[in-house]
Amino acid sequence: MNKVMIIGAGGVGAVVAHKCAQLPEVFGEIVLASRTLAKCEAIAAQLPRSIKTACVDADNVPELVALLRAEQPLLVINVALPYQDLTIMDACLEAGVHYMDTANYEPLDTAKFEYHWQWAYREKFEQAGLMALLGCGFDPGATNIFTAYLAKHYFDEIHTLDIIDVNGGDHGYPFATNFNPEINIREVTAECRHWEDGAFVTTPAMSLKQSFTCPEGVGSYNIYRMYHEELESLTANFPTLRRAQFWMSFGDSYLKHLEVLGNVGMTGIAPVEFNGQQIVPIQFLRALLPDPASLGPRTVGKTCIGCVVSGVKDGQQKTVYLYNIKDHQECYAEVQSQAISYTTGVPAMIGAKMVLQGHWLKPGVWNVEQLDPDPFMADLNAYGLPWTVVENPDFTLV
Amino acid sequence: MNKVMIIGAGGVGAVVAHKCAQLPEVFGEIVLASRTLAKCEAIAAQLPRSIKTACVDADNVPELVALLRAEQPLLVINVALPYQDLTIMDACLEAGVHYMDTANYEPLDTAKFEYHWQWAYREKFEQAGLMALLGCGFDPGATNIFTAYLAKHYFDEIHTLDIIDVNGGDHGYPFATNFNPEINIREVTAECRHWEDGAFVTTPAMSLKQSFTCPEGVGSYNIYRMYHEELESLTANFPTLRRAQFWMSFGDSYLKHLEVLGNVGMTGIAPVEFNGQQIVPIQFLRALLPDPASLGPRTVGKTCIGCVVSGVKDGQQKTVYLYNIKDHQECYAEVQSQAISYTTGVPAMIGAKMVLQGHWLKPGVWNVEQLDPDPFMADLNAYGLPWTVVENPDFTLV
């Protein structure tokens, strides 16, 4: 029986558990583990078949190793916090289990969005005959594979890449988040880096925006150029890229709320003395905001995430756009999560399937674009994230 | 010796104490009382001469009466909270002390900005041979007296009144308040009322704004029509007024911050359960914002507050603008407070002087526009708030 262990019982963990549970012929046994057993049990109760749950502190390598040795899964699907990637990789090495995740390792105190900590494990995983598959959510993940697929089938050489991530969802609240707003504030306030002629170029945060009209009537949105971790691996793995940029949509109102909350100190992570108690402002803010779990049922609209690649095929210059559109309400009806968690969790399930079925299994540490995109792309169509290719689309990007 | 008791040791109380202390020939003895003795002592330590301090709970009538009987001041200058006007009036009646304040009574649970609670004391004060002087800050206060002064000297009959309150100060913080932001939020979210043809007309909050260019280079600001308490007494005391409006300046950034903080619940006054403690969001917000006491030294720019009155003189239609401009830094240099506290505290001191010197002393409950404006206007020039009259100014208001 193919047994996997999912570590992390947040929104993405729930989607991965749902999707794996739907495929018993691939995922024969499932263990869902997290620091909070109750969260695992709540997810397990939603599923069409029985899975195991376990309590584990993902910061604690011996505890992880003990659980892995007891359960002996073939693969760990790490959808815990990015701070925990290295402890889980260490535990997998020690227990002899394949590893995959959806986001690069981050030290607790700084957001670098860099792969070098995990790439440093290449030799260890090779020598152990184990695989570590990095960044197999949507972005990074599906976007890397879209790029690899376009490079393989539509181009002899790719020259520019624009990844465009639009969330056209509306939960109807003036402001709410389905994740830690601190992470989003760090993203929008971080300097932008994009790839240009062989090096990363730094520009001020949020200093370049353009309007982008999504296909299929999803709507027009302001998209802002920012750094995103897949730019590092994609420019390393596709050295013909002359320019690579990442764009994300933000509404004016959302940005206004983030700015004001930052201004008054409500997004701070340092404790503040108040009435004799130490209070972390962002934690108090989260207590005031709508419960993230309440957003799923009320979020309407669609996500539209894809890659615009230009390059040369048979001596001809061309541009191709490959995208997925996903409806928030459709996701909620299927797995009781909105599209943000869904679009991350489904590629994680498919990545795990690629490993278990042998399509991608090979020792070492790999980013997803280094592996054959074709079986993964076929599974996106089969398992809830169908995609579309438009050759020479009718828009022009900055 | 003329003895006064100042109740309230906030920003305005500090200014009143400074200004009274500068005039020993009028204010022979000064007692500064508040719930927090340390605040009184900190103010007393800044003054050029010695004053008494006392601790009193202004919500507690017997405690107030005991202090008044012990100290036997001629007059109480109430610059405590508006919720405490009635208890202090009751105590003054019981102890036989004249009374004055700078803001109308407010019940704790609702902001009505109405005088009827205090006007109901007329007979009591008359029968006791005591005076209660209401609303003697800047607005209400100086603005009422400006109106009375213009009506007396420039018109046979006044027809329209526009009170314009511009604070062109800049403290350099993205957002900070020198008062409880809850009160400001209630002001800007309250429906607007203005006087039109014999009745108050209600319009949506902040629905009418115009740009106003202050004289003497103070700058141009957006001013918003809103309700302010002096409209009630002025329209009662000047029944020839066909229209009376109040306008206040708000910066776009300030309004944006208020809107967002309201949206996320940070301005709420109902306690929220957090980490096993009951936390009132607006109190936590105040703990995050810059200490109001820190604003004085860094606030630059000027306030510009005045009245535009139109009417008839000798059969001729005319318009007259009477205003004061005050520089924040100049105030700070004199009394260690910025201009918001200064422009409220100085008229309070002058009103007290009017009572003690007999210019205004008469039993009953009085709004300031019912008394002779001339000695008060002379003292504004003498004690830090010089004013200017412009006949037929070169602007046109909505």
Side-chain angles (χ1 to χ4, degrees):
Chain A
M1 288 279 274
N2 282 335
K3 183 172 182 175
V4 290
M5 182 182 295
I6 303 162
I7 301 182
V12 176
V15 173
V16 175
H18 270 272
K19 298 301 287 195
C20 289
Q22 290 173 8
L23 287 180
E25 65 281 16
V26 179
F27 304 97
E29 272 188 78
I30 300 165
V31 183
L32 177 60
S34 100
R35 193 188 305 265
T36 311
L37 188 62
K39 291 169 75 176
C40 300
E41 287 169 348
I43 294 167
Q46 299 173 351
L47 302 181
R49 66 181 167 114
S50 173
I51 66 166
K52 281 185 91 166
T53 58
C55 180
V56 70
D57 175 1
D59 292 320
N60 185 322
V61 176
E63 204 177 296
L64 285 163
V65 170
L67 179 66
L68 289 172
R69 289 203 168 128
E71 293 293 343
Q72 301 197 20
L74 284 170
L75 171 69
V76 162
I77 305 172
N78 168 21
V79 284
L81 297 171
Y83 319 120
Q84 300 168 322
D85 286 1
L86 298 189
T87 49
I88 298 175
M89 288 175 84
D90 286 332
C92 282
L93 281 170
E94 201 170 330
V97 179
H98 299 301
Y99 169 91
M100 64 170 288
D101 64 36
T102 63
N104 68 325
Y105 169 73
E106 299 282 353
L108 248 181
D109 56 342
T110 167
K112 294 283 192 187
F113 305 111
E114 289 172 359
Y115 276 112
H116 63 84
W117 288 280
Q118 291 181 280
W119 285 346
Y121 278 72
R122 275 176 186 147
E123 210 172 328
K124 284 185 191 169
F125 272 82
E126 270 168 26
Q127 286 172 0
L130 293 172
M131 179 175 202
L133 179 65
L134 305 185
C136 194
F138 207 104
D139 46 337
T143 52
N144 306 49
I145 298 159
F146 286 1
T147 305
Y149 184 83
L150 291 175
K152 179 177 177 180
H153 296 290
Y154 289 83
F155 294 95
D156 296 324
E157 192 173 290
I158 64 172
H159 294 155
T160 74
L161 166 65
D162 289 274
I163 302 170
I164 301 172
D165 178 339
V166 169
N167 177 9
D170 181 4
H171 46 58
Y173 290 117
F175 186 72
T177 62
N178 45 28
F179 49 83
N180 188 329
E182 175 71 10
I183 289 175
N184 224 245
I185 286 158
R186 290 200 298 202
E187 280 186 341
V188 304
T189 56
E191 285 193 320
C192 175
R193 280 179 289 160
H194 75 279
W195 186 261
E196 187 102 42
D197 296 328
F200 277 106
V201 177
T202 299
T203 50
M206 309 289 279
S207 57
L208 190 62
K209 75 169 175 181
Q210 61 184 317
S211 178
F212 180 71
T213 300
C214 298
E216 302 178 31
V218 171
S220 294
Y221 299 88
N222 282 329
I223 57 174
Y224 293 80
R225 189 172 65 180
M226 55 194 294
Y227 185 71
H228 221 241
E229 65 194 71
E230 61 262 49
L231 294 180
E232 184 182 14
S233 68
L234 284 167
T235 53
N237 289 317
F238 294 95
T240 61
L241 279 173
R242 296 170 189 168
R243 196 187 67 195
Q245 306 180 112
F246 182 93
W247 305 82
M248 188 175 276
S249 71
F250 294 100
D252 291 345
S253 173
Y254 183 82
L255 293 176
K256 178 174 81 173
H257 282 72
L258 282 190
E259 178 199 351
V260 166
L261 294 170
N263 279 347
V264 302
M266 273 310 292
T267 57
I269 56 174
V272 170
E273 169 85 22
F274 181 74
N275 284 358
Q277 209 190 8
Q278 295 292 313
I279 292 186
V280 175
I282 197 156
Q283 291 175 0
F284 183 66
L285 174 62
R286 295 188 80 181
L288 290 181
L289 294 177
D291 177 4
S294 74
L295 301 181
R298 55 184 287 148
T299 301
V300 297
K302 294 177 164 70
T303 58
C304 174
I305 320 178
C307 297
V308 181
V309 170
S310 71
V312 171
K313 176 74 173 180
D314 301 328
Q316 292 286 314
Q317 184 72 28
K318 63 189 286 197
T319 299
V320 185
Y321 178 36
L322 198 172
Y323 64 86
N324 163 260
I325 289 172
K326 193 64 193 178
D327 183 84
H328 284 283
Q329 286 289 303
E330 190 189 308
C331 296
Y332 191 76
E334 182 191 340
V335 298
Q336 299 175 48
S337 295
Q338 29 70 347
I340 305 296
S341 298
Y342 190 93
T343 55
T344 305
V346 171
M349 177 280 284
I350 297 173
K353 181 168 176 286
M354 294 295 105
V355 173
L356 294 183
Q357 292 182 328
H359 299 297
W360 281 6
L361 187 60
K362 57 179 175 176
V365 173
W366 301 96
N367 288 90
V368 292
E369 68 270 26
Q370 296 176 281
L371 305 158
D372 182 10
D374 293 354
F376 184 98
M377 293 297 285
D379 274 359
L380 282 178
N381 280 325
Y383 298 111
L385 294 175
W387 44 272
T388 302
V389 174
V390 179
E391 296 199 57
N392 295 312
D394 60 1
F395 56 74
T396 310
L397 294 173
V398 170
Chain B
M1 291 279 275
N2 281 336
K3 183 171 181 175
V4 290
M5 182 181 293
I6 303 162
I7 301 182
V12 176
V15 173
V16 175
H18 271 273
K19 298 300 287 194
C20 290
Q22 290 172 7
L23 287 179
E25 66 280 15
V26 179
F27 304 97
E29 271 187 79
I30 300 165
V31 184
L32 177 60
S34 100
R35 194 188 304 265
T36 311
L37 188 62
K39 291 169 75 176
C40 300
E41 287 169 349
I43 293 167
Q46 300 174 352
L47 303 181
R49 67 182 167 113
S50 173
I51 67 166
K52 281 185 91 163
T53 57
C55 181
V56 70
D57 175 1
D59 291 321
N60 184 321
V61 176
E63 204 177 296
L64 285 163
V65 170
L67 179 66
L68 289 172
R69 288 198 168 132
E71 294 293 342
Q72 301 197 18
L74 284 170
L75 171 68
V76 162
I77 305 172
N78 168 20
V79 284
L81 297 172
Y83 319 119
Q84 300 167 322
D85 287 1
L86 299 190
T87 50
I88 298 176
M89 288 175 83
D90 286 332
C92 283
L93 281 170
E94 201 170 330
V97 178
H98 298 301
Y99 168 91
M100 65 170 288
D101 64 35
T102 64
N104 69 323
Y105 169 73
E106 299 282 353
L108 250 181
D109 56 341
T110 166
K112 293 283 192 189
F113 305 112
E114 288 172 0
Y115 276 112
H116 63 85
W117 288 281
Q118 291 181 280
W119 285 346
Y121 279 71
R122 275 177 186 147
E123 210 173 327
K124 284 186 191 169
F125 271 83
E126 269 167 26
Q127 288 172 356
L130 292 172
M131 178 173 202
L133 178 66
L134 304 185
C136 195
F138 206 104
D139 44 338
T143 51
N144 305 50
I145 297 160
F146 286 0
T147 305
Y149 184 83
L150 291 175
K152 179 177 177 181
H153 296 291
Y154 289 84
F155 294 93
D156 296 325
E157 194 172 287
I158 64 173
H159 294 155
T160 74
L161 165 66
D162 289 275
I163 301 170
I164 302 172
D165 178 339
V166 169
N167 177 10
D170 181 4
H171 46 58
Y173 290 116
F175 186 72
T177 62
N178 44 28
F179 50 82
N180 188 329
E182 175 71 10
I183 289 175
N184 224 246
I185 287 158
R186 289 201 297 205
E187 279 186 341
V188 303
T189 56
E191 285 194 318
C192 174
R193 280 179 289 161
H194 76 278
W195 185 262
E196 187 102 41
D197 296 328
F200 277 107
V201 177
T202 299
T203 50
M206 309 290 278
S207 57
L208 189 62
K209 76 169 174 180
Q210 60 184 317
S211 178
F212 180 71
T213 300
C214 298
E216 302 178 31
V218 171
S220 294
Y221 299 88
N222 281 329
I223 56 174
Y224 293 79
R225 189 171 65 181
M226 56 193 293
Y227 185 70
H228 221 241
E229 65 193 71
E230 61 262 51
L231 295 180
E232 184 182 13
S233 67
L234 283 167
T235 52
N237 289 316
F238 294 95
T240 61
L241 279 173
R242 295 169 189 168
R243 196 187 68 196
Q245 306 180 113
F246 182 93
W247 304 83
M248 188 175 277
S249 71
F250 294 100
D252 291 346
S253 174
Y254 183 82
L255 294 176
K256 178 174 81 173
H257 281 72
L258 283 189
E259 178 199 353
V260 166
L261 294 170
N263 278 347
V264 302
M266 273 310 293
T267 56
I269 56 174
V272 170
E273 169 85 21
F274 181 73
N275 284 357
Q277 209 190 6
Q278 294 292 313
I279 293 186
V280 175
I282 198 156
Q283 291 174 2
F284 184 66
L285 174 61
R286 294 188 79 181
L288 289 180
L289 293 178
D291 178 5
S294 75
L295 302 181
R298 55 184 289 147
T299 302
V300 297
K302 294 175 162 72
T303 58
C304 174
I305 319 178
C307 297
V308 181
V309 170
S310 71
V312 171
K313 175 75 174 179
D314 300 328
Q316 293 285 315
Q317 184 71 26
K318 63 190 285 197
T319 299
V320 185
Y321 178 35
L322 198 172
Y323 64 87
N324 163 261
I325 289 173
K326 193 65 193 177
D327 183 84
H328 283 283
Q329 285 288 303
E330 189 188 309
C331 298
Y332 191 76
E334 183 190 338
V335 298
Q336 297 175 50
S337 295
Q338 27 70 346
I340 305 297
S341 298
Y342 190 95
T343 54
T344 305
V346 170
M349 177 279 286
I350 297 174
K353 181 168 175 284
M354 294 295 104
V355 173
L356 294 184
Q357 293 182 326
H359 299 296
W360 282 4
L361 186 59
K362 57 180 178 174
V365 173
W366 301 96
N367 288 90
V368 292
E369 69 270 25
Q370 297 177 279
L371 305 158
D372 181 7
D374 294 353
F376 184 98
M377 293 296 285
D379 275 357
L380 282 178
N381 279 324
Y383 298 111
L385 294 175
W387 43 273
T388 301
V389 173
V390 179
E391 296 199 57
N392 295 314
D394 61 1
F395 55 74
T396 309
L397 295 173
V398 169

